Amino acid sequence: MDFGNILSLALGEIVTPTTAAYALAALGLAVHFGYSGLLNFGQAGFMAVGAYGFAISTLTFKVPFVVGFLIALLCAVIFGLLLGVPTLRLRADYLAIVTIAAAEIIRYIVTTNTLFRVTGSADGLSSFQREFDSFNPFPAGTYIFGWSNREFYVRVVSWVIVILCAVIVWLLMRSPWGRVLKGIREDENAVRSLGKNVYAYKMQALVIGGILGALAGLLFTLPRGSVQPANYATELTFFLWTVLLLGGMSTVLGPIVGAMIFWVVLSLTQNVLAGLIESGAITFLSIVQAGQLRFILVGVALMLLMVFRPQGVFGNKKELAFA
Amino acid sequence: MTTADDNIDYMTDSRAIAVGENLPGCKKRDPIVVADNVTRNFGGISAVDVEHLEIPRHKITALIGPNGAGKTTLFNLLTGFDTPNSGAWTFEGNNIAGVSSYKVARMGMVRTFQLTKVMGKLTVMENMRLGAANQPGERLSRALFKNIWGGREREITKQADGLLEKFKLDAKKDDYAASLSGGQRKLLEMARSLMVRPKLVMLDEPMAGVNPALTQSLLDHIKNLKAEGMTVLFVEHDMNMVRHIADWVVVMAEGRIVAEGPPGEVMKDPAVIDAYLGAHHDVDLGDAQGIRELEAELEADEESIVGTEDAGIIAPEVVEARLEEEEGK
Ligand SMILES: Nc1ncnc2c1ncn2[C@@H]1O[C@H](COP(=O)(O)OP(=O)(O)OP(=O)(O)O)[C@@H](O)[C@H]1O
Ligand SMILES: [Mg+2]
């Protein structure tokens, strides 16, 4: 077993565009749940809306990249409003139910064969990233970890977006606007009694977190050059919640570091198990089973985390004392 | 408002509050809230059934009545936290029936809750700041620019510091509100409602659980709110507090207004005694002699709570102590 290789593979995971996408989507969940108390179990839906919004407008309507990008964000805003209007006046649980259902609806719609010409059905869509690639300023060659210039380019773009969004969220949450959101998380009637329009604030938070989700959807698909419905199933949402809980809910760094830890651990367990199987140390597992086992390990790790460090890596222990 | 009114010292203003006789639902010289035919039923029981009620401006009005009389429900209705089965009411002449609660608060009618609501995972100071009105940084479009809202934030912080000091919470400023004791939370909630600079502040049992020494200074503070031009409406079970600061008392029982008037007068009202005590009419709750007689009578009565731990506001010790203090002065 080549530990050096396993380790460098794991470290490589820290900066992949997928990790960036998870970080950004989990940051959206932090805005929803960590700061505003909104239970969104459909973040995968927001990601799908962003990814398909971009892919469909680029392929079917042949719009330029920037327009497609804006359409993707606009779709997320509309999706957020659609979910928020009927539910945000009700108790928190209603939003949870509606979001989980809406995310599934999105996935079923893009999978139906009737819409094959637009959505590509189960095959999804591809080849919508050419214009994005044409912006690549880096000349061909190898960079840092032996990345090609495209690999380097998508990483730079992904992490610049993540850092930009993190800074914006941080600025928003330390502002009086963020204070109202945190107040709503604690007790919305008390905030109402002080003259704040709770419904409007919740809607703004839902839409902002949703936009982050849609951006994450773009970061997830652009480097791959393809978007498939299977990538946006409910388990994606739950991985994002895992990431959020890992890092700490009401923090900006939490979701980002949480995403890094999540992918490093997944990569380590996968490669260590594969190495053990190949070397014959483990005989009762196949490589495929090992791939499944690591998700079981993720679940176990999450349980241990909740028991021993429930506030997450960056969470504030003091806050939790009053949960 | 006339110009003459502007020169009035509200602390010593002794003009009559009611127009005409002090009957339940009577008209006021200068009402801030006027409610008509407000009813609220909970599956058959009529929790509130108020024909006519006016709250006098620039006065401290106490809303009293036995448990379940409908006081909190009336608060909820007037402030838009609950929807009535029927009724209309105005605040400073504006019809506000059906107006959402946050708009009511913005108009200057701010309430606190009987079951205290503090934002546990915010610090005491952040709780206070949240109360302030006109913070431009609370709009999403300005939130990113500290240069726009920083100045107002400093003003708010100064205002909050002053209030926290008055409410003896200054040492707790940077602690999470969740770490406060029950009484401290009551104080924080009340201080926070004052951050809004309301015209009418409605306090639901503000002194429940606050220690007597602090109560005294807070009562003075509430009295002083009047000097700042505020109107106060509060619910309270402690008759001493009611006598001490209320200019006017409204008594509710089973959802209705059963009596109204200045505190001294109301406590002698048979309808009030009836509401609190049932059968024992012939007694003056504001008189030590009357209380002693009642005690003797009630202790003989097996169904009565007097002489037991549950006596509460009608416990003779409570009433007498206060009365003796007054006589001594
Ligand atoms: N949400 C509700 N559902 C059903 N009944 C209610 C509800 N809220 C209040 N009630 C009923 O309405 C009546 C009035 O309640 P309310 O809370 O207004 O009393 P209160 O005068 O504030 O009493 P207390 O002095 O004990 O606080 C009570 O009989 C109560 O049981
Ligand atoms: Mg009550």
Side-chain angles (χ1 to χ4, degrees), chain B residues 40 42-43 45-48 65-74 76 82 114 204-205 235 237 252:
Chain B
R40 177 71 166 107
F42 290 111
I45 8 166
S46 143
V48 167
N67 291 124
K71 307 179 293 292
T72 300
T73 309
L74 182 63
N76 289 345
D82 193 4
Q114 182 172 6
D204 201 343
E205 304 199 11
V235 172
H237 285 297
M252 276 185 90

Side-chain angles (χ1 to χ4, degrees), chain B residues 40 229 242 291 300:
Chain B
R40 177 71 166 107
V242 172
I291 286 287

Side-chain angles (χ1 to χ4, degrees), chain A residues 1-12 267-268 271:
Chain A
M1 211 164 38
D2 181 355
F3 279 106
N5 190 34
I6 289 176
L7 210 63
S8 77
L9 277 176
L11 289 180
S267 159
L268 275 180
N271 291 323

